[in-house]
Coordinates of all heavy atoms in Angstrom, one line a residue:
E788 N 0.8 -1.2 0.0 CA 0.0 0.0 0.0 C 0.9 1.2 0.0 O 1.9 1.3 0.7 CB -0.9 0.0 1.2 CG -1.9 1.1 1.2 CD -2.8 1.0 2.5 OE1 -3.3 -0.1 2.8 OE2 -3.0 2.1 3.1
A789 N 0.5 2.2 -0.8 CA 1.3 3.4 -0.9 C 0.9 4.6 0.0 O 1.5 5.6 0.0 CB 1.2 3.9 -2.4
G790 N 0.0 4.3 0.9 CA -0.5 5.4 1.8 C -1.5 6.3 1.1 O -1.8 6.2 0.0
V791 N -1.9 7.3 1.9 CA -2.9 8.2 1.4 C -2.5 9.0 0.2 O -3.2 9.2 -0.8 CB -3.3 9.2 2.5 CG1 -4.3 10.2 2.0 CG2 -3.9 8.4 3.7
D792 N -1.3 9.5 0.2 CA -0.8 10.3 -0.9 C 0.0 9.6 -2.0 O 0.4 10.1 -3.0 CB 0.0 11.5 -0.4 CG 1.3 11.1 0.3 OD1 1.6 9.8 0.4 OD2 2.1 11.9 0.7
G793 N 0.2 8.3 -1.8 CA 0.9 7.5 -2.8 C 2.4 7.5 -2.7 O 3.1 6.9 -3.5
F794 N 2.9 8.1 -1.6 CA 4.3 8.3 -1.5 C 4.9 7.7 -0.2 O 6.1 7.9 0.1 CB 4.7 9.8 -1.5 CG 4.5 10.4 -2.9 CD1 3.4 11.0 -3.2 CD2 5.6 10.4 -3.8 CE1 3.2 11.6 -4.5 CE2 5.5 11.0 -5.0 CZ 4.3 11.6 -5.4
R795 N 4.1 6.9 0.5 CA 4.6 6.3 1.7 C 5.9 5.5 1.6 O 6.9 5.8 2.3 CB 3.6 5.4 2.4 CG 4.0 5.0 3.8 CD 3.0 4.1 4.4 NE 3.0 2.8 3.8 CZ 2.1 1.9 3.9 NH1 1.0 2.1 4.7 NH2 2.1 0.8 3.3
E796 N 6.0 4.6 0.6 CA 7.2 3.8 0.4 C 8.4 4.6 -0.1 O 9.5 4.4 0.3 CB 6.9 2.6 -0.5 CG 5.8 1.7 0.1 CD 6.2 1.1 1.4 OE1 7.4 0.7 1.6 OE2 5.3 1.0 2.3
I797 N 8.1 5.6 -1.0 CA 9.2 6.4 -1.5 C 9.8 7.2 -0.3 O 11.0 7.3 -0.2 CB 8.7 7.3 -2.6 CG1 8.4 6.5 -3.8 CG2 9.7 8.4 -2.9 CD1 7.7 7.2 -5.0
R798 N 8.9 7.8 0.5 CA 9.3 8.6 1.7 C 10.2 7.7 2.6 O 11.2 8.1 3.0 CB 8.1 9.1 2.4 CG 8.4 10.2 3.4 CD 7.1 10.8 4.0 NE 6.3 11.5 3.0 CZ 5.1 11.1 2.5 NH1 4.6 10.0 2.9 NH2 4.5 11.8 1.6
K799 N 9.7 6.5 2.9 CA 10.5 5.6 3.8 C 11.8 5.2 3.2 O 12.8 5.2 3.9 CB 9.7 4.3 4.0 CG 8.6 4.4 5.0 CD 7.6 3.2 5.1 CE 8.2 1.9 5.1 NZ 7.2 0.8 5.3
L800 N 11.9 5.0 1.9 CA 13.1 4.7 1.2 C 14.1 5.8 1.3 O 15.3 5.6 1.6 CB 12.8 4.3 -0.3 CG 14.1 4.1 -1.2 CD1 14.7 2.8 -0.8 CD2 13.7 4.1 -2.6
I801 N 13.7 7.0 1.0 CA 14.5 8.2 1.1 C 15.1 8.4 2.5 O 16.3 8.6 2.7 CB 13.8 9.4 0.5 CG1 13.6 9.3 -1.0 CG2 14.6 10.7 0.8 CD1 12.7 10.3 -1.6
L802 N 14.2 8.3 3.5 CA 14.6 8.6 4.9 C 15.6 7.5 5.4 O 16.6 7.8 6.0 CB 13.4 8.7 5.8 CG 12.5 9.9 5.6 CD1 11.3 9.8 6.4 CD2 13.3 11.2 5.8
K803 N 15.3 6.2 5.0 CA 16.2 5.1 5.4 C 17.6 5.3 4.7 O 18.6 5.1 5.3 CB 15.5 3.8 5.1 CG 16.3 2.6 5.6 CD 15.9 2.4 7.0 CE 16.2 1.0 7.4 NZ 15.8 0.7 8.8
S804 N 17.5 5.6 3.4 CA 18.8 5.8 2.7 C 19.6 7.0 3.2 O 20.8 6.9 3.2 CB 18.5 6.0 1.2 OG 17.8 4.9 0.7
K805 N 18.9 8.0 3.6 CA 19.6 9.2 4.2 C 20.4 8.7 5.4 O 21.5 9.2 5.6 CB 18.6 10.2 4.6 CG 19.1 11.5 5.2 CD 18.0 12.4 5.5 CE 18.5 13.7 6.2 NZ 17.4 14.6 6.5
K806 N 19.9 7.8 6.2 CA 20.6 7.3 7.4 C 21.7 6.3 7.0 O 22.8 6.3 7.7 CB 19.7 6.7 8.4 CG 18.7 7.6 9.0 CD 17.7 6.9 9.9 CE 16.7 7.9 10.5 NZ 15.7 7.2 11.3
L807 N 21.5 5.4 6.1 CA 22.4 4.3 5.8 C 23.5 4.7 4.8 O 24.6 4.1 4.9 CB 21.6 3.1 5.2 CG 20.6 2.5 6.2 CD1 19.8 1.4 5.5 CD2 21.3 1.9 7.4
L808 N 23.2 5.5 3.8 CA 24.3 5.8 2.8 C 25.3 6.8 3.4 O 25.0 7.7 4.1 CB 23.6 6.4 1.6 CG 22.8 5.5 0.7 CD1 22.1 6.3 -0.4 CD2 23.7 4.4 0.1
K809 N 26.5 6.6 2.9 CA 27.6 7.5 3.2 C 27.5 8.7 2.2 O 26.8 8.6 1.2 CB 29.0 6.8 3.1 CG 29.2 5.8 4.1 CD 30.6 5.2 4.0 CE 30.8 4.1 5.0 NZ 32.1 3.5 4.9
R810 N 28.3 9.7 2.5 CA 28.3 10.8 1.5 C 28.8 10.3 0.2 O 29.7 9.5 0.1 CB 29.3 11.9 2.1 CG 29.3 13.1 1.2 CD 30.2 14.2 1.9 NE 30.2 15.4 1.1 CZ 31.2 15.9 0.4 NH1 32.3 15.2 0.4 NH2 31.0 17.0 -0.2
N811 N 28.1 10.8 -0.9 CA 28.4 10.4 -2.3 C 27.8 9.0 -2.6 O 28.1 8.5 -3.7 CB 29.9 10.5 -2.7 CG 30.4 11.9 -2.7 OD1 29.6 12.8 -3.1 ND2 31.6 12.1 -2.2
G812 N 27.1 8.4 -1.6 CA 26.4 7.1 -1.9 C 25.3 7.3 -2.9 O 24.7 8.3 -3.0
K813 N 25.1 6.3 -3.7 CA 24.0 6.3 -4.8 C 22.7 5.7 -4.3 O 22.7 4.6 -3.7 CB 24.5 5.6 -6.0 CG 25.8 6.2 -6.6 CD 25.5 7.6 -7.2 CE 26.7 8.1 -7.9 NZ 26.8 9.5 -8.0
L814 N 21.6 6.3 -4.7 CA 20.3 5.8 -4.5 C 19.6 5.7 -5.8 O 19.5 6.7 -6.6 CB 19.5 6.7 -3.6 CG 18.0 6.3 -3.3 CD1 17.9 4.9 -2.7 CD2 17.4 7.4 -2.4
I815 N 19.2 4.5 -6.2 CA 18.6 4.2 -7.5 C 17.3 3.5 -7.3 O 17.3 2.5 -6.6 CB 19.5 3.4 -8.4 CG1 20.8 4.1 -8.6 CG2 18.8 3.2 -9.8 CD1 21.9 3.3 -9.3
F816 N 16.2 4.1 -7.7 CA 14.9 3.4 -7.5 C 13.9 3.9 -8.6 O 14.0 4.9 -9.2 CB 14.4 3.7 -6.1 CG 14.1 5.2 -5.8 CD1 12.8 5.7 -5.9 CD2 15.1 6.1 -5.5 CE1 12.6 7.1 -5.6 CE2 14.9 7.4 -5.3 CZ 13.6 7.9 -5.3
E817 N 12.8 3.1 -8.7 CA 11.7 3.3 -9.6 C 10.6 4.0 -9.0 O 10.3 3.7 -7.8 CB 11.3 1.9 -10.2 CG 10.2 2.1 -11.3 CD 9.8 0.7 -11.8 OE1 10.3 -0.3 -11.3 OE2 9.0 0.7 -12.8
I818 N 9.9 4.8 -9.7 CA 8.7 5.5 -9.2 C 7.5 5.2 -10.2 O 7.7 4.7 -11.2 CB 8.9 7.1 -9.2 CG1 9.3 7.6 -10.6 CG2 10.0 7.4 -8.2 CD1 9.2 9.1 -10.7
G819 N 6.4 5.6 -9.7 CA 5.1 5.5 -10.5 C 4.9 6.7 -11.4 O 5.6 7.8 -11.2
K820 N 3.9 6.6 -12.2 CA 3.5 7.7 -13.1 C 3.1 8.9 -12.2 O 2.4 8.8 -11.2 CB 2.3 7.3 -14.0 CG 2.0 8.2 -15.0 CD 0.9 7.6 -16.0 CE 0.6 8.6 -17.1 NZ -0.5 8.1 -17.9
N821 N 3.5 10.1 -12.7 CA 3.1 11.4 -12.0 C 3.7 11.6 -10.6 O 3.2 12.3 -9.8 CB 1.6 11.6 -11.9 CG 0.9 11.6 -13.3 OD1 1.5 12.2 -14.2 ND2 -0.2 10.9 -13.4
Q822 N 4.8 10.9 -10.4 CA 5.5 11.0 -9.1 C 6.9 11.7 -9.1 O 7.5 11.9 -8.1 CB 5.7 9.6 -8.4 CG 4.4 9.0 -8.0 CD 4.6 7.7 -7.2 OE1 5.5 6.9 -7.6 NE2 3.8 7.5 -6.2
A823 N 7.3 12.1 -10.3 CA 8.6 12.7 -10.5 C 8.9 14.0 -9.7 O 9.9 14.0 -9.0 CB 8.9 12.9 -12.0
L824 N 8.1 15.0 -9.9 CA 8.3 16.2 -9.2 C 8.3 16.2 -7.7 O 9.2 16.6 -7.0 CB 7.4 17.3 -9.7 CG 7.6 18.7 -9.2 CD1 9.1 19.2 -9.6 CD2 6.6 19.7 -9.8
P825 N 7.3 15.5 -7.1 CA 7.3 15.4 -5.6 C 8.5 14.6 -5.1 O 9.0 14.9 -4.1 CB 5.9 14.7 -5.3 CG 5.1 15.0 -6.5 CD 6.0 15.1 -7.7
T826 N 8.9 13.6 -5.9 CA 10.0 12.7 -5.5 C 11.3 13.6 -5.6 O 12.1 13.5 -4.6 CB 10.1 11.5 -6.4 OG1 8.9 10.7 -6.3 CG2 11.3 10.6 -6.0
K827 N 11.5 14.3 -6.6 CA 12.6 15.2 -6.7 C 12.7 16.2 -5.5 O 13.8 16.4 -5.0 CB 12.6 15.9 -8.0 CG 13.9 16.8 -8.3 CD 13.9 17.4 -9.6 CE 15.1 18.2 -9.8 NZ 15.2 19.0 -11.0
N828 N 11.6 16.8 -5.2 CA 11.5 17.7 -4.1 C 11.9 17.0 -2.8 O 12.7 17.5 -1.9 CB 10.2 18.4 -4.0 CG 9.9 19.3 -5.1 OD1 10.8 19.8 -5.7 ND2 8.6 19.5 -5.4
M829 N 11.4 15.8 -2.6 CA 11.7 15.0 -1.3 C 13.2 14.7 -1.3 O 13.8 14.8 -0.2 CB 11.0 13.7 -1.3 CG 9.6 13.8 -0.6 SD 8.9 12.1 -0.4 CE 7.9 12.1 -1.9
L830 N 13.8 14.3 -2.4 CA 15.2 14.0 -2.4 C 16.0 15.3 -2.1 O 17.0 15.2 -1.3 CB 15.6 13.5 -3.8 CG 15.2 12.0 -4.1 CD1 15.3 11.7 -5.6 CD2 16.1 11.1 -3.3
N831 N 15.7 16.4 -2.7 CA 16.4 17.6 -2.5 C 16.4 18.1 -1.0 O 17.4 18.5 -0.4 CB 15.9 18.7 -3.4 CG 16.3 18.5 -4.8 OD1 17.3 17.8 -5.1 ND2 15.5 19.1 -5.7
K832 N 15.2 17.9 -0.4 CA 15.0 18.3 1.0 C 15.8 17.4 1.9 O 16.0 17.8 3.1 CB 13.5 18.3 1.4 CG 12.7 19.4 0.8 CD 11.3 19.4 1.1 CE 10.5 20.4 0.4 NZ 9.0 20.3 0.6
N833 N 16.1 16.2 1.5 CA 16.8 15.2 2.3 C 18.3 15.1 1.9 O 18.9 14.0 2.1 CB 16.1 13.9 2.3 CG 14.9 14.0 3.1 OD1 14.9 13.9 4.4 ND2 13.7 14.1 2.5
N834 N 18.9 16.1 1.3 CA 20.3 16.2 1.0 C 20.7 15.2 -0.1 O 21.8 14.6 0.0 CB 21.1 16.0 2.2 CG 20.8 17.1 3.3 OD1 20.7 18.2 3.0 ND2 20.6 16.6 4.5
F835 N 19.9 15.0 -1.1 CA 20.3 14.2 -2.2 C 20.3 15.1 -3.5 O 19.4 16.0 -3.6 CB 19.3 13.1 -2.5 CG 19.4 11.9 -1.5 CD1 18.7 11.8 -0.3 CD2 20.3 10.8 -1.9 CE1 18.9 10.8 0.5 CE2 20.4 9.8 -1.0 CZ 19.7 9.7 0.2
Y836 N 21.3 14.8 -4.3 CA 21.4 15.5 -5.6 C 20.8 14.5 -6.7 O 21.3 13.4 -6.7 CB 22.8 15.9 -5.9 CG 23.0 16.4 -7.3 CD1 22.7 17.7 -7.7 CD2 23.5 15.5 -8.3 CE1 22.8 18.1 -9.0 CE2 23.7 16.0 -9.6 CZ 23.3 17.3 -9.9 OH 23.5 17.7 -11.2
V837 N 19.9 15.0 -7.5 CA 19.4 14.1 -8.5 C 20.3 14.1 -9.7 O 20.4 15.1 -10.4 CB 17.9 14.5 -8.9 CG1 17.4 13.7 -10.1 CG2 17.0 14.4 -7.7
N838 N 21.0 13.0 -10.0 CA 21.9 12.9 -11.1 C 21.1 12.8 -12.4 O 21.5 13.4 -13.4 CB 22.8 11.7 -10.9 CG 23.7 11.8 -9.7 OD1 23.3 11.3 -8.7 ND2 24.8 12.5 -9.8
K839 N 20.1 11.9 -12.4 CA 19.4 11.6 -13.6 C 18.0 11.0 -13.3 O 17.9 10.3 -12.3 CB 20.2 10.6 -14.4 CG 19.7 10.3 -15.8 CD 20.7 9.4 -16.6 CE 20.1 9.3 -18.0 NZ 21.0 8.5 -18.9
I840 N 17.1 11.3 -14.2 CA 15.8 10.7 -14.2 C 15.6 10.0 -15.5 O 15.6 10.7 -16.6 CB 14.7 11.8 -14.0 CG1 14.9 12.6 -12.7 CG2 13.3 11.1 -13.9 CD1 14.0 13.8 -12.5
C841 N 15.5 8.7 -15.5 CA 15.4 7.9 -16.7 C 13.9 7.7 -17.0 O 13.1 7.4 -16.2 CB 16.1 6.5 -16.5 SG 17.8 6.6 -16.0
K842 N 13.6 7.8 -18.3 CA 12.3 7.7 -18.8 C 12.1 6.3 -19.3 O 13.0 5.7 -19.8 CB 11.9 8.7 -19.9 CG 12.0 10.1 -19.3 CD 11.7 11.1 -20.4 CE 11.7 12.6 -19.8 NZ 11.4 13.5 -20.8
D843 N 10.8 5.8 -19.3 CA 10.5 4.5 -19.8 C 10.2 4.7 -21.3 O 10.4 5.7 -21.9 CB 9.3 3.8 -19.1 CG 8.0 4.6 -19.2 OD1 7.9 5.5 -20.1 OD2 7.1 4.3 -18.4
I844 N 9.8 3.6 -22.0 CA 9.6 3.6 -23.4 C 8.5 4.6 -23.9 O 8.5 5.0 -25.0 CB 9.3 2.1 -23.9 CG1 9.5 2.0 -25.4 CG2 7.9 1.7 -23.5 CD1 9.7 0.6 -25.9
Q845 N 7.6 5.0 -22.9 CA 6.5 5.9 -23.2 C 6.9 7.3 -22.8 O 6.1 8.2 -22.7 CB 5.2 5.5 -22.5 CG 4.7 4.2 -23.0 CD 3.5 3.8 -22.3 OE1 3.3 4.1 -21.1 NE2 2.6 3.0 -23.0
S846 N 8.2 7.5 -22.5 CA 8.8 8.8 -22.1 C 8.2 9.3 -20.8 O 8.2 10.5 -20.5 CB 8.6 9.9 -23.2 OG 9.3 9.6 -24.3
I847 N 7.8 8.4 -19.9 CA 7.3 8.7 -18.6 C 8.5 8.6 -17.6 O 9.2 7.6 -17.6 CB 6.2 7.8 -18.1 CG1 5.0 8.0 -19.0 CG2 5.8 8.1 -16.7 CD1 3.9 6.9 -18.9
P848 N 8.8 9.6 -16.8 CA 9.9 9.5 -15.8 C 9.7 8.3 -14.9 O 8.6 8.2 -14.3 CB 9.8 10.8 -15.0 CG 9.1 11.8 -15.9 CD 8.2 10.9 -16.7
R849 N 10.7 7.4 -14.8 CA 10.5 6.1 -14.2 C 11.5 5.8 -13.1 O 11.2 5.2 -12.1 CB 10.4 5.0 -15.2 CG 9.8 3.8 -14.8 CD 8.4 3.9 -14.2 NE 7.4 4.1 -15.3 CZ 6.1 4.2 -15.1 NH1 5.7 4.1 -13.8 NH2 5.3 4.4 -16.0
V850 N 12.8 6.1 -13.4 CA 13.9 5.7 -12.5 C 14.7 7.0 -12.1 O 15.1 7.7 -12.9 CB 14.8 4.7 -13.1 CG1 16.0 4.3 -12.2 CG2 14.0 3.4 -13.4
F851 N 14.9 7.1 -10.8 CA 15.8 8.2 -10.2 C 17.1 7.6 -9.9 O 17.3 6.5 -9.3 CB 15.2 8.7 -9.0 CG 14.2 9.9 -9.2 CD1 12.9 9.7 -9.6 CD2 14.7 11.2 -8.9 CE1 12.1 10.7 -9.8 CE2 13.8 12.2 -9.1 CZ 12.5 12.0 -9.6
I852 N 18.2 8.4 -10.2 CA 19.5 8.1 -9.8 C 19.9 9.4 -9.0 O 20.0 10.5 -9.6 CB 20.5 7.9 -11.0 CG1 20.0 6.7 -11.8 CG2 21.9 7.6 -10.5 CD1 20.7 6.5 -13.1
A853 N 20.2 9.2 -7.7 CA 20.5 10.3 -6.9 C 21.8 10.0 -6.0 O 22.1 8.9 -5.8 CB 19.3 10.7 -6.0
T854 N 22.5 11.1 -5.6 CA 23.7 11.0 -4.8 C 23.4 11.7 -3.5 O 23.0 12.9 -3.5 CB 24.9 11.6 -5.5 OG1 25.0 11.0 -6.8 CG2 26.1 11.4 -4.7
K855 N 23.8 11.1 -2.4 CA 23.7 11.7 -1.1 C 24.8 12.8 -1.0 O 26.0 12.5 -1.3 CB 23.9 10.7 0.0 CG 23.7 11.3 1.4 CD 23.8 10.3 2.5 CE 23.6 10.9 3.8 NZ 24.0 10.0 4.9
T856 N 24.5 14.0 -0.6 CA 25.5 15.1 -0.7 C 26.1 15.4 0.7 O 27.2 16.0 0.7 CB 24.8 16.4 -1.1 OG1 23.7 16.7 -0.3 CG2 24.3 16.3 -2.6
I857 N 25.5 15.0 1.8 CA 26.1 15.3 3.1 C 26.3 14.0 3.8 O 25.5 13.1 3.8 CB 25.2 16.2 3.9 CG1 25.1 17.6 3.2 CG2 25.7 16.3 5.3 CD1 24.1 18.5 3.9

């Protein structure tokens, strides 16, 4: 279940990765349709730099590659 706003698991993944990854550690994960902008904002607020957003065959943003900055 994704929670009320559809971002529960993404939020958990980002917060857990913030604790576990060392500086410059990479976080790579898949998102659902229409989740790119809120996910990017969450990553930025949690000290991640978004290196790349990969699109699927239909040009929908699907995979984030981010680096922990602190």
Side-chain angles (χ1 to χ4, degrees):
E788 185 178 314
V791 175
D792 64 358
F794 288 92
R795 187 180 72 191
E796 296 303 318
I797 292 173
R798 195 175 294 108
K799 281 171 43 178
L800 175 69
I801 292 170
L802 293 175
K803 189 81 158 180
S804 297
K805 182 179 177 180
K806 292 178 184 175
L807 294 176
L808 287 175
K809 294 181 180 180
R810 185 173 185 251
N811 294 322
K813 299 290 185 206
L814 175 59
I815 302 169
F816 62 101
E817 183 179 6
I818 61 166
K820 189 174 180 181
N821 300 320
Q822 291 185 322
L824 186 58
T826 299
K827 184 176 181 185
N828 291 337
M829 270 188 263
L830 285 165
N831 290 335
K832 287 178 186 174
N833 284 283
N834 303 312
F835 282 90
Y836 171 79
V837 176
N838 300 91
K839 188 171 184 178
I840 304 171
C841 303
K842 295 180 180 180
D843 66 14
I844 198 161
Q845 296 176 330
S846 294
I847 297 169
R849 195 60 73 180
V850 175
F851 269 78
I852 301 171
T854 304
K855 185 177 177 191
T856 58
I857 296 176

